Amino acid sequence: QVQLVESGGGSVQAGDSLRLSCAASGRAFSNYVMAWFRQAPGKEREFVAAIRWSGGNTVYTDSVKGRFTISRDNAKNTVYLQMNSLKPEDTAVYYCATDVVGISVYRYWGQGTQVTVSS
């Protein structure tokens, strides 16, 4: 059974940085992709970034390009989201998700971690 556990959220000021972590367990992930999503109050959940466990290919939503970096540590089965130059509009609950490469709807989700950015 796949389990994802996020950590690293918190409350910061605009311009600060945070690093989120997502520890994955329950299977081998070589053919999987790991993604970060976020959901702000009253808004739809949105895609933030994704990375392939094998090969490390990454993709980002436009609003975070140049500020956020997704990376992975295969030995630790952990994916990170380094968030720099945070803005108030980045405030949301951040979720990690994973599934087989090519799947359009992720089946496995973490519990979420709150990120609050004050101006």
Side-chain angles (χ1 to χ4, degrees):
Q1 182 177 351
V2 174
Q3 289 190 318
L4 303 175
V5 179
E6 301 104 331
S7 61
S11 297
V12 297
Q13 297 290 317
D16 286 349
S17 299
L18 276 176
R19 189 178 79 157
L20 305 183
S21 300
C22 178
S25 62
R27 63 156 298 122
F29 293 98
S30 59
N31 192 37
Y32 276 56
V33 60
M34 178 69 78
W36 287 97
F37 289 78
R38 65 187 180 186
Q39 187 166 20
K43 294 188 176 182
E44 298 280 323
R45 185 171 58 195
E46 67 169 344
F47 170 82
V48 176
I51 186 168
R52 284 197 179 195
W53 283 104
S54 178
N57 306 69
T58 59
V59 62
Y60 299 90
T61 193
D62 285 346
S63 62
V64 307
K65 284 181 181 177
R67 299 189 299 123
F68 290 12
T69 302
I70 188 170
S71 62
R72 87 260 191 250
D73 184 332
N74 287 1
K76 295 181 179 179
N77 267 7
T78 299
V79 172
Y80 305 98
L81 186 68
Q82 178 67 43
M83 306 185 294
N84 298 330
S85 302
L86 282 162
K87 304 176 182 180
E89 51 263 45
D90 294 318
T91 295
V93 178
Y94 284 71
Y95 299 90
C96 64
T98 192
D99 216 315
V100 177
V101 172
I103 290 288
S104 59
V105 178
Y106 290 88
R107 290 174 291 172
Y108 307 110
W109 293 82
Q111 81 287 355
T113 186
Q114 177 71 46
V115 172
T116 302
V117 184
S118 303
S119 58

